[in-house]
Each structure stands twice: as structure tokens, then as C-alpha cells.
């Protein structure tokens, strides 16, 4: 089995858990950032929020609501205006990959409705693609049924007030990347703004190595050492990596466009599914703007007494961080306990070059660039940033998540 398929199975099991166990939400009113006294005070509040939250982790959307999503709403409006300048379009679509709890969709549409009403009226649909059935069920209740309430910044409830624009689709990102016939994207020439916030880190990767004898590229495959153990209990199965000559067509296509993904002496993890997904999105939506935000660096695992410290995989560049539901890090995805989150850092420079080469034959003008997340927030939401500053100018909106970058593709 190819490594990315094994990682896919692990992550699919993780995201099939009840939504309350995975994507967190603040169980109190949103933070009044202007009253934060400084970094030390924010760390105290941050720790308290994590202790009292529902779920394992909090995204910037949840942590900094509504400000983070309002910035994204301004980005959507800016890109929609650019489409209008280039052509006489009447409608625009929004596509969000990985919708979390539905908070981002509601707050983006709120921002368009309040600050950019003409753009809001032109939004034909806001489609959310997600592979998790439990999260999609939650989003249906929040965004369409209106049967779950959550606090927004003005204390009103997030209900189904934008239900007429919401579309939910259960699609697996690896199926899209691999172009499986029963799970593909629909083609659309309608101007589309595509958002993916903290999605790249959970997309399955492959690991490549170089044969010391031949110098050829090798792909990693996972084999099971004990069939009998697997038959009794999947969790008892012992897996190991083997390196075989590269035959996978998707990997071959990716490294032909981006040779920097080919390792030298040390094995390297590469974002196979991210690259395949981006290709399908950009080719099926020729009139699109894309923004992907995620981690550009992750810390090494914090090893504790409860951590699984046995390594059965070969250490590679861009190694993932493996964390279990009790927030314990583990050294290896093959020896970690069940229901672990597997997070990959993204090399945004390499990914942006891949996108440039992917679109090099495009007839339209293409602008591919990446920036740090705080630069993006200042570019599209200076007012929102100012609304989160305290008396001394400190704002965690810019000074937290400093290990995040944003990839933008405009056409």
C-alpha cells in the first residue's frame, strides 16, 4: 500500500469521530482582544480557552472570530471585484474546502452582506467540500437547519440565515487528487473564490527516497508484518516502511513539474494530495482565485512519559507531527496509538513554484505568490487587525500563529 493511502486511512478514522471530539469551539463569548494586557495575558486566556473548549484544537477562525473570517470576506470581495473588471460577470461562487464547524462560512457571508452588499447579492452559492460525515452533519445543522446555535461577536446566534446560498458536498480530497471516476469535481466557468484554511496540514503525503545504488527515486509503501495480529485487532497490527522503485503516476507527474520534491540523501515527505487537489481545482475552475493558509513550520514532538517513543519509520524532511486525543505527541505515525491527528508542515515556496509551472500554459494572466499569514491579514483586513489591538498595540491576531503562511493564486 502506498504511504499516502495508509496515512489517509489513519486520518479518515480520526475525522470520523464525533465532531465535538475534533474541531474545537469556544464555549464562551468571543474574546475582547482590545482588553488584553499583553502577551502574557493572551497566553493565560489562550490556555483557559483550550482547557474549556469543546474539541481537540482551535483554528484561527474559531479563536479569532469574527475578525479572521471578516478578513477572508474582504479577500473574497476584492477578488470578486477583479473578476468584474475583467469581464461582465453576473454571479460569483465561493468554494471552501474543509468547512470545520461552519463558523467561517457564516462569518464570511455576514461580512459580505454587511460590508460588501453588492458582492453578497452576486454570490450564487457557497459550497463546502469535506470528507468528514460528522462535520458535514454538524454544518448541515448549523448552516441549513439552524438547529445549533453558537455565539458570534454581536451575541446574535449563528443560524441558517444564509441557508439559500449554502451547498454541502461530501468529497474526499484524495479521491479528487487521484481523479477517481466516482468522486470528481464538477467543471465550472463561473468566477469562483476557493478557500482552504488549515487543510494542507491534514492532506496525506508520500515519502520519497533515493536508491544509493542506482540513484533512482523510490516510493514508500507500507506492509503489514503480522496478518494474524491484524485479524484479531487492527490496533495490534505491526506495519513497516519499504522503499520500492517509483511507479505511482501522480508522484511522477508532480516531481516532473517540481524537481525540488526529489530528495537527496535524506528521505523527503511531499504533498502529493495537495498538489493533485490544486491541479484539479485550478483546471476545473479556470476562472478562479485560490487562497490556502496553513503551517509553514511545526515544532518537533514534545516527548513525555506517555509518548510512544519507538520509531519504525525512516526520519524524513517535513516530518509530520503526530498527536493523540489526549494531546500527547508521539515520535512515529506507525507506532502511535489509534485516533491520532497527523499534521504536516507545508513548503510554500515549493508549492507556489509547482502552481506556477502547472499554469504556465494558461492563456490568462496568472499571479502565484505566498506570504506570511500576518502580511495577508494586514493586506486585506487592517481595520480588523486594529480592532484586536490593545492600548499598547499588541494583537495576537498577528503575533500568534506566526508559523503560518498563505498561498494565493489569481487569474
Amino acid at each position: 500500500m502506498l504511504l499516502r493511502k495508509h496515512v489517509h486511512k489513519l486520518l479518515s478514522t480520526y475525522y470520523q469521530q464525533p465532531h465535538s471530539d475534533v474541531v474545537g469551539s469556544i464555549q464562551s463569548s468571543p474574546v475582547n482582544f482590545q482588553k488584553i494586557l499583553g502577551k502574557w495575558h493572551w497566553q493565560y486566556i489562550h490556555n483557559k480557552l483550550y482547557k474549556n473548549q469543546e474539541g481537540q484544537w482551535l483554528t484561527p477562525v474559531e479563536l479569532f472570530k469574527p475578525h479572521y473570517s471578516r478578513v477572508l470576506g474582504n479577500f473574497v470581495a476584492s477578488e470578486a471585484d477583479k473578476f468584474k473588471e475583467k469581464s461582465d460577470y453576473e454571479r460569483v461562487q465561493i468554494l471552501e474546502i474543509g468547512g470545520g464547524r461552519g463558523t467561517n462560512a457564516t462569518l464570511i457571508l455576514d461580512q459580505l452582506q454587511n460590508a460588501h452588499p453588492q458582492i453578497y447579492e452576486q454570490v450564487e452559492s457557497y459550497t463546502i467540500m469535506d470528507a468528514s460525515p460528522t462535520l458535514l452533519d454538524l454544518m448541515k445543522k448549523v448552516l441549513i437547519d439552524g438547529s445549533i446555535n453558537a455565539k458570534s461577536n454581536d451575541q446574535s446566534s449563528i443560524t441558517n440565515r444564509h441557508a439559500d446560498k449554502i451547498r454541502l458536498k461530501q468529497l474526499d480530497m484524495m479521491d479528487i487528487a487521484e481523479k477517481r471516476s466516482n468522486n470528481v469535481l464538477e467543471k465550472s466557468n463561473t468566477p469562483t473564490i476557493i478557500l482552504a484554511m488549515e487543510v494542507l496540514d491534514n492532506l496525506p503525503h508520500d515519502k520519497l527516497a533515493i536508491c544509493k545504488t542506482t540513484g533512482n527515486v523510490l516510493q514508500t509503501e507500507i506492509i503489514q508484518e503480522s496478518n494474524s495480529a491484524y485479524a484479531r485487532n487492527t490496533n495490534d497490527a505491526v506495519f513497516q516502511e519499504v522503499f520500492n522503485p517509483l511507479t505511482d503516476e501522480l508522484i511522477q507527474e508532480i516531481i516532473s513539474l517540481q524537481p525540488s520534491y526529489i530528495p537527496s540523501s535524506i528521505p523527503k515527505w511531499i504533498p502529493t494530495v495537495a498538489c493533485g487537489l490544486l491541479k484539479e481545482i485550478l483546471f476545473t475552475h479556470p476562472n478562479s482565485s485560490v487562497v490556502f493558509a496553513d503551517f509553514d513550520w511545526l515544532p518537533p514532538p514534545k516527548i513525555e512519559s506517555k509518548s510512544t517513543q519507538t520509531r519504525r519509520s525512516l526520519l524524513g524532511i517535513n516530518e509530520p507531527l503526530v498527536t493523540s486525543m489526549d494531546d500527547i505527541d508521539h515520535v512515529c505515525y506507525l507506532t502511535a496509538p489509534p485516533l491520532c491527528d497527523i499534521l504536516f508542515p507545508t513548503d510554500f515556496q515549493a508549492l507556489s513554484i509547482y502552481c506556477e509551472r502547472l499554469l504556465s500554459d494558461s492563456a490568462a494572466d496568472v499571479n502565484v505568490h505566498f506570504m506570511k499569514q500576518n502580511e495577508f491579514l494586514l493586506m486585506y483586513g487592517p481595520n480588523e487587525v486594529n480592532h484586536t489591538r490593545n492600548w499598547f498595540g499588541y494583537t495576537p491576531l498577528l503575533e500568534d500563529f506566526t508559523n503560518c503562511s498563505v498561498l494565493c493564486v489569481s487569474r
Side-chain angles (χ1 to χ4, degrees):
M1 177 188 294
L2 271 173
L3 175 53
R4 70 171 179 267
K5 297 183 183 295
H6 182 78
V7 172
H8 177 263
K9 290 180 66 175
L10 296 175
L11 286 170
S12 295
T13 303
Y14 174 78
Y15 276 101
Q16 286 173 3
Q17 298 180 90
H19 61 77
S20 59
D21 292 345
V22 183
V23 182
S25 65
I26 296 175
Q27 298 302 296
S28 59
S29 299
V31 178
N32 186 338
F33 293 97
Q34 292 182 329
K35 292 186 177 181
I36 293 175
L37 300 178
K39 185 175 182 179
W40 65 270
H41 191 199
W42 167 243
Q43 290 176 339
Y44 169 80
I45 294 173
H46 184 272
N47 292 337
K48 188 176 180 180
L49 290 173
Y50 259 87
K51 183 178 180 180
N52 297 328
Q53 70 151 329
E54 179 185 68
Q56 187 180 9
W57 37 263
L58 290 167
T59 65
V61 166
E62 298 290 343
L63 201 56
F64 300 120
K65 66 183 180 184
H67 308 289
Y68 188 90
S69 296
R70 286 178 177 174
V71 176
L72 293 175
N74 292 340
F75 169 82
V76 169
S78 174
E79 294 303 301
D81 283 337
K82 291 178 185 177
F83 283 125
K84 189 174 183 178
E85 291 174 2
K86 292 184 291 186
S87 61
D88 294 329
Y89 78 96
E90 296 181 358
R91 312 300 291 170
V92 65
Q93 298 173 337
I94 304 172
L95 171 61
E96 183 176 7
I97 303 171
R101 304 179 66 89
T103 306
N104 200 32
T106 299
L107 294 178
I108 286 174
L109 289 170
D110 281 351
Q111 177 69 357
L112 292 177
Q113 189 175 44
N114 296 329
H116 312 279
Q118 290 183 333
I119 300 298
Y120 179 81
E121 292 302 321
Q122 292 164 348
V123 174
E124 183 177 70
S125 62
Y126 190 120
T127 301
I128 299 176
M129 296 192 322
D130 207 299
S132 170
T134 58
L135 287 175
L136 282 167
D137 181 63
L138 172 64
M139 285 185 271
K140 180 178 181 296
K141 292 175 180 176
V142 171
L143 299 171
I144 297 176
D145 300 338
S147 58
I148 292 181
N149 294 329
K151 295 289 186 179
S152 69
N153 192 52
D154 61 1
Q155 306 303 311
S156 65
S157 295
I158 296 178
T159 64
N160 57 345
R161 57 182 172 272
H162 305 297
D164 60 320
K165 297 184 183 295
I166 298 295
R167 311 287 186 270
L168 302 177
K169 291 186 178 181
Q170 184 172 357
L171 291 173
D172 191 287
M173 304 310 127
M174 193 165 81
D175 288 350
I176 295 172
E178 294 181 342
K179 294 186 286 190
R180 298 186 184 181
S181 59
N182 63 337
N183 207 340
V184 296
L185 291 175
E186 298 176 0
K187 293 184 178 181
S188 174
N189 288 318
T190 302
T192 306
I193 294 96
I194 301 168
L195 313 170
M197 321 315 292
E198 293 200 19
V199 171
L200 294 172
D201 62 328
N202 273 156
L203 293 180
H205 284 47
D206 281 291
K207 188 194 295 182
L208 302 182
I210 293 294
C211 178
K212 294 181 180 179
T213 304
T214 65
N216 294 332
V217 179
L218 305 176
Q219 64 189 31
T220 307
E221 299 177 9
I222 303 299
I223 63 170
Q224 183 182 311
E225 292 186 355
S226 173
N227 289 327
S228 58
Y230 186 86
R232 293 196 309 272
N233 187 345
T234 303
N235 298 335
D236 294 334
V238 177
F239 297 97
Q240 69 175 10
E241 296 177 341
V242 294
F243 294 88
N244 291 320
L246 177 59
T247 58
D248 181 68
E249 293 182 0
L250 180 56
I251 297 176
Q252 290 174 337
E253 179 183 307
I254 291 169
I255 64 175
S256 68
L257 284 174
Q258 179 48 298
S260 72
Y261 284 142
I262 300 174
S264 53
S265 58
I266 303 173
K268 180 182 289 187
W269 291 87
I270 70 166
T272 325
V273 174
C275 291
L277 176 64
L278 276 164
K279 177 185 176 181
E280 291 305 304
I281 286 173
L282 293 169
F283 283 14
T284 56
H285 295 77
N287 297 314
S288 62
S289 292
V290 175
V291 58
F292 277 47
D294 224 301
F295 300 109
D296 54 36
W297 175 85
L298 287 170
K302 182 181 179 182
I303 303 304
E304 307 175 33
S305 59
K306 295 182 180 180
S307 300
T308 302
Q309 302 184 36
T310 303
R311 173 170 287 280
R312 298 186 62 85
S313 63
L314 202 58
L315 193 66
I317 297 172
N318 295 327
E319 191 76 12
L321 182 63
V322 183
T323 305
S324 54
M325 294 299 295
D326 52 1
D327 292 325
I328 301 296
D329 293 346
H330 304 276
V331 299
C332 175
Y333 71 98
L334 288 179
T335 58
L339 302 180
C340 278
D341 195 4
I342 304 174
L343 302 121
F344 294 91
T346 296
D347 182 340
F348 278 85
Q349 183 176 25
L351 192 60
S352 65
I353 293 173
Y354 168 80
C355 290
E356 286 178 349
R357 292 171 178 168
L358 188 67
L359 299 172
S360 60
D361 294 332
S362 175
D365 292 334
V366 179
N367 181 14
V368 180
H369 62 283
F370 69 98
M371 66 187 85
K372 295 296 289 186
Q373 181 169 270
N374 54 10
E375 296 176 51
F376 178 87
L377 295 171
L378 283 168
M379 180 179 295
Y380 291 100
N383 291 335
E384 295 304 319
V385 171
N386 288 334
H387 288 157
T388 65
R389 291 189 189 277
N390 69 359
W391 294 342
F392 310 103
Y394 173 81
T395 167
L397 185 62
L398 297 183
E399 299 187 44
D400 206 349
F401 289 90
T402 56
N403 60 330
C404 288
S405 290
V406 180
L407 171 69
C408 299
V409 182
S410 298
R411 289 187 285 181

